[in-house]
Amino acid sequence: MAVLRVRGVALPDGEPVDLYADGDRWTTDPVAGAELVAEGWILPGLVDAHTHPGAEEPGRPLDEGVLRDDLRLHLESGVTLIRAPGLAGDPPDWFGTSAESPRAVHAGPWLAQQGQFMPGWGRRPDPAELPAVAAEQAARTGWAKIVVDWKPGDQVVPVEVLREAVARVHAAGGRLAVHSQHAEGGRVAVEAGVDSIEHGMGLDPELLARMAEQGTALTPTLSAITGHLATILADPERARTHWQVPGASAHGRLTAAAVEAGVTVLAGTDTRPLGGIANEVRAMVAAGVSPHRAIAAASWAARSYLGLPGLVDGAPADAVVFGADPRTDLGQLDKPRAVIVRGRRVAPRTTG
């Protein structure tokens, strides 16, 4: 395999670098005959921390062909690492490891309560069994995902059950993500000490300081929520009565406040078609997050949270290269010059 080389300004530090892909590891030691594939502004790969590849519609089974297409879209957009907090089924062995996939971590099928969540998706163990099932899942894949709330008025997973799930998942060496879109679900999740809250719509801002202190991350999926809000507001009658309007309307402010409070905020899309991580970064910036921090949530900060270093000697050989600083021109995120995963170049998406 040819040794690839990238050269330019590395983020987040803004220092010049000259990197060589020695197999699946970066090195600054020059390699004779290395192929210079791109120069420019270099990020250690983009990250989509909330994506559900492999099924075209809610409730459908995992389809390997759809999965391949979805992962290709991620790669073409510069995403070299994904986290799937919930999949329509157990993925094939090549998921997250082959040349046609970004690196990936996942939580297996969602875990939900009886009568809640998407019909046809996930598992619904008895409440007493939920902590053990979550721990068993996390022991297999590193993550488990619990839907703690669903529709207005639905029962929220009791805090004592969720607290036990956290303890057992951690004892198994894993992490626990939760779906929450109501204030009570968010309160229970923070009190139980979960590792990440997905969506977090309706979350009480007073809880942000505790989240930062105990290390509970927030993946706001802001572009998905604000996009859905726009659809609701287009119908005045629906806008007057829809339960999501208050929480969705405040979600941008919540996201910006979480960043300022020191919460680890992760960029995740939760939309189809896949490959739209740039839209999530732009949604964060529109909400008042600085471009540097918004891109961090979709790159080096997210990689660090998921256990991968940045552009340093010995780090996994992932990178995305842009022609200019994406912090001053967010449009650069739509047109990577080169995408490198595991020391191999992936053809970037071509745009006008």
Side-chain angles (χ1 to χ4, degrees):
M1 184 175 72
V3 174
L4 304 186
R5 177 187 178 194
V6 293
R7 182 171 62 200
V9 179
L11 293 179
D13 296 331
E15 296 294 329
V17 295
D18 202 344
L19 295 170
Y20 299 80
D22 182 9
D24 187 20
R25 288 291 178 266
W26 288 122
T27 179
T28 54
D29 294 333
V31 177
E35 176 190 357
L36 181 61
V37 295
E39 295 184 73
W41 289 77
I42 309 170
L43 276 67
L46 295 175
V47 180
D48 190 331
H50 190 118
T51 180
H52 307 294
E56 290 182 314
E57 295 179 0
R60 291 246 184 126
L62 190 76
D63 182 290
E64 192 163 337
V66 173
L67 182 63
R68 290 182 190 277
D69 290 343
D70 287 346
L71 297 175
R72 176 180 52 80
L73 290 173
H74 273 313
L75 288 172
E76 290 178 353
S77 68
V79 168
T80 64
L81 171 65
I82 64 170
R83 182 186 59 152
L87 286 170
D90 290 322
D93 291 342
W94 57 262
F95 176 69
T97 61
S98 77
E100 56 191 319
S101 173
R103 299 180 197 272
V105 295
H106 71 91
W110 297 262
L111 304 176
Q113 300 184 91
Q114 295 293 330
Q116 298 186 22
F117 197 54
M118 304 285 188
W121 272 0
R123 293 182 287 167
R124 291 162 178 79
D126 292 335
E129 298 174 353
L130 187 59
V133 174
E136 184 266 339
Q137 175 65 58
R140 286 203 314 271
T141 63
W143 282 86
K145 167 79 171 293
I146 295 176
V147 180
V148 298
D149 59 34
W150 191 236
K151 295 179 180 178
D154 281 351
Q155 179 180 345
V156 173
V157 173
V159 67
E160 61 272 12
V161 173
L162 195 59
R163 189 179 289 120
E164 183 183 355
V166 170
R168 296 188 69 165
V169 165
H170 287 178
R175 287 164 135 179
L176 182 64
V178 301
H179 166 109
S180 175
Q181 54 189 6
H182 301 286
E184 179 61 12
R187 183 193 67 78
V188 166
V190 175
E191 188 172 337
V194 304
D195 294 288
S196 73
I197 296 176
E198 308 303 303
H199 315 300
M201 190 169 64
L203 184 68
D204 184 350
E206 294 296 321
L207 295 171
L208 295 175
R210 181 171 176 181
M211 289 174 63
E213 180 180 2
Q214 68 190 27
T216 297
L218 174 66
T219 315
T221 62
L222 182 58
S223 56
I225 288 175
T226 55
H228 185 56
L229 175 64
T231 300
I232 295 172
L233 295 180
D235 181 343
E237 182 58 32
R238 189 183 183 202
R240 280 193 290 271
T241 60
H242 202 287
W243 66 268
Q244 290 183 342
V245 170
S249 298
H251 204 51
R253 295 191 297 276
L254 174 72
T255 300
V259 172
E260 289 302 316
V263 175
T264 296
V265 174
L266 307 172
T269 55
D270 195 31
T271 54
R272 299 192 64 84
L274 280 68
I277 194 63
N279 295 329
E280 183 68 7
V281 172
R282 283 190 281 264
M284 288 186 180
V285 173
V289 179
S290 73
H292 183 89
R293 288 181 169 182
I295 294 174
S299 183
W300 55 87
R303 285 178 70 90
S304 177
Y305 178 80
L306 294 172
L308 292 180
L311 298 169
V312 295
D313 275 284
D318 301 342
V320 58
V321 185
F322 300 102
D325 188 346
R327 298 172 301 177
T328 57
D329 177 8
L330 293 176
Q332 290 292 318
L333 296 173
D334 296 312
K335 46 189 178 183
R337 280 186 172 177
V339 182
I340 298 169
V341 186
R342 303 181 192 88
R344 297 174 180 270
R345 185 173 186 180
V346 179
R349 176 186 303 162
T350 55
T351 57

